[in-house]
Amino acid sequence: MSNSTLPTLPATDRPEVAARLRDALLGASFTADGLLDLLGAPAYAALARSETVPALRATRGDTPLETLVHLFLLQQPVPHARVADVLPVDACVESGWLTSVGGDEVAATVDVRPYGGPGGEDWFIVSDLGCAVGGAGGIGSREEGVVLGVGGASTTLAGITVRTPVATALDLGTGSGIQALHAAQHATRVTATDVNPRALHITALTLALSGAPAADLREGSLFDPVRDDETYDLIVSNPPFVISPGARLTYRDGGMGGDDLCRSLVQQAGDRLREGGFAQFLANWQHVEGEDWQDRLRSWVPRGCDAWIVQREVQDVTQYAELWLRDAGDHRGDPAAYEALYDAWLDEFEARKVKGVGFGWITLRRTGSDAPSITVEEWPHSIEQPLGDTVRAHFDRVDRLRALDDAALLAAHFRLAAEVIQEQVGLPGAEDPEHVVLRQHRGMRRATKVDTVGAGFAGVCDGSLSAGRILDAIAQLVGEDPVLLRDRTPAQIRLLVEQGFLEPVD
C-alpha cells in the first residue's frame, strides 16, 4: 500500500514558518508542563492512551492554549479567526501545517505533541494524525506508511542511551525523529535513516519545530544508506522488531523471518562503530524449543564488541500475537478475518518451534578486545530511568575488571556504592539471618544475596584498605585460612563490581 491516502505533510523548506510556529506554541504555554497544568494529570495521562474525552471536558474555554489543544491534540477544526489570534495562521496554511476546512475553519495536518527534553527543553514531536502514541490500532488506522509519535519504546531507548558528547551519531529507523532529536543535543553530526520516506519528512519537521539542528536524512533499510567508510560514535535504533507473518505495517514489522531483522542489525553494527563507540537497540528475540535463549543472543554479538543484553519481558506466543493484532486494530474488524490472522501468527511460530518471545535492550561497545565481555541476563523488575550513566558505568567497570587478574584484584581498593543498603532476612528473634541481601536503590535497582564473607566484605569497603587486607581481617574473625579465603572470593568480588554494588577506587 502506498502513502497516497495519507494527508499531505507540511513543507520542510520553510524553516522560518516552523520557527514562527514554535515561538507561538511556546508563547501560549503549549508545552508538557503547560498541558499538565491545564488538563490535570488524569486527562493528560488519558491523552497518552488516545482517550480524548477528559481533555475535551478540561478545554471548554477559548484561551490560546485551549485552542491549540483542540487543534493539534484533539485534532478538531477550529474557527480561522480564533486560530489567527494564536498562530501565524496564513503562513501555516500556506506551508501545510494547517488546512482550510468548512469555509471558515482550519484543521491540523499533523499531530504536534509537546515533549520535555532531559535538560528541561521544550520540544515538539510531529507524527501522523491520531498516531501520537501507541500503535496505529489506537486510531483505527491500518495505513502502511503511518508514522507514530512517542510511545513507551521510544522513551525507554532514549532513557538507556549513553549521553556523552560525540562527533557522530546514527539513528536507524528514525520514525518521527525522537532519537535523532535527543542525539542532536550531544552529537556534532546526526544521521537518521528510515525505509519510509514519510518518516524522514516527519523527522525533519520534528527537528525544525523543536529548534534542533537539521540531520543528514537518508532513505533505506538498516545500514544500506550508510557508506562503507562511515563509522559512528553512537548508533541507536528502535527498529520494527515485531516478529510477524508478513510485513503489513512499516512502523513495526521488519519484513524478515523471525527475529532475523534484530539479529542482522546487531551483527552489522560492529563494523559501523568507532573504537569505544556504543550501539544501543530495543529488540525482540525468539525463545526456540531446545535452544537456550541466552546462547542465541550471545551468537548475535559481533567480534570486537562487549555486550550487555537485558531481557525485560517474555510473552508466550498467544499473548504476543494478541498484543500486536490489537495494536493494528484487527480485533475491531471482521471476526473471521481476525481469527485467520491469529491462526497465521501461530502457524508461523509453530513452524519455527517458537514457544515465547523476549523483549529487551541490547548495548554493544566497540573495544577490539580479544576477550570480550558478554553479559546476558533477565531483569523484569523496576528500574530508575534515565539509565544512560548506569550503562556507561557498567562498561567502565568491565574494562577495569578485564585488566585485573586475581592478584591485582586483591591488591585493588573498592568502596560500596552510595545507594546500596544491606538487608538481613530471617525469622524474627533468630540469632543469625537466613541470608543477607545487598540492594540498590537507583539505576537497575538490583538485589543480590551474599554470604557472610560477602556481606562483611561489602560492609567495610570504603576505599581505605585493599580487598586482600579486608579478606585477611575477615579470615581472622571467622577462623578461616586466609589463603583459602583469598582463593575462593575473587569471583564474588568480580560479580559485585560488575553489577555495580562495589566501585573501584583509583
Side-chain angles (χ1 to χ4, degrees), residues 398-415:
V398 165
D399 273 347
R400 292 291 297 272
L401 289 172
R402 184 160 38 210
L404 299 176
D405 60 18
D406 283 355
L409 182 78
L410 293 176
H413 294 237
F414 302 93
R415 62 168 168 259

Side-chain angles (χ1 to χ4, degrees), residues 449-474:
K449 290 183 182 179
V450 291
D451 59 18
T452 302
V453 171
F457 181 88
V460 298
C461 273
D462 61 3
S464 61
L465 298 176
S466 69
R469 289 190 61 187
I470 293 174
L471 289 179
D472 291 343
I474 292 174

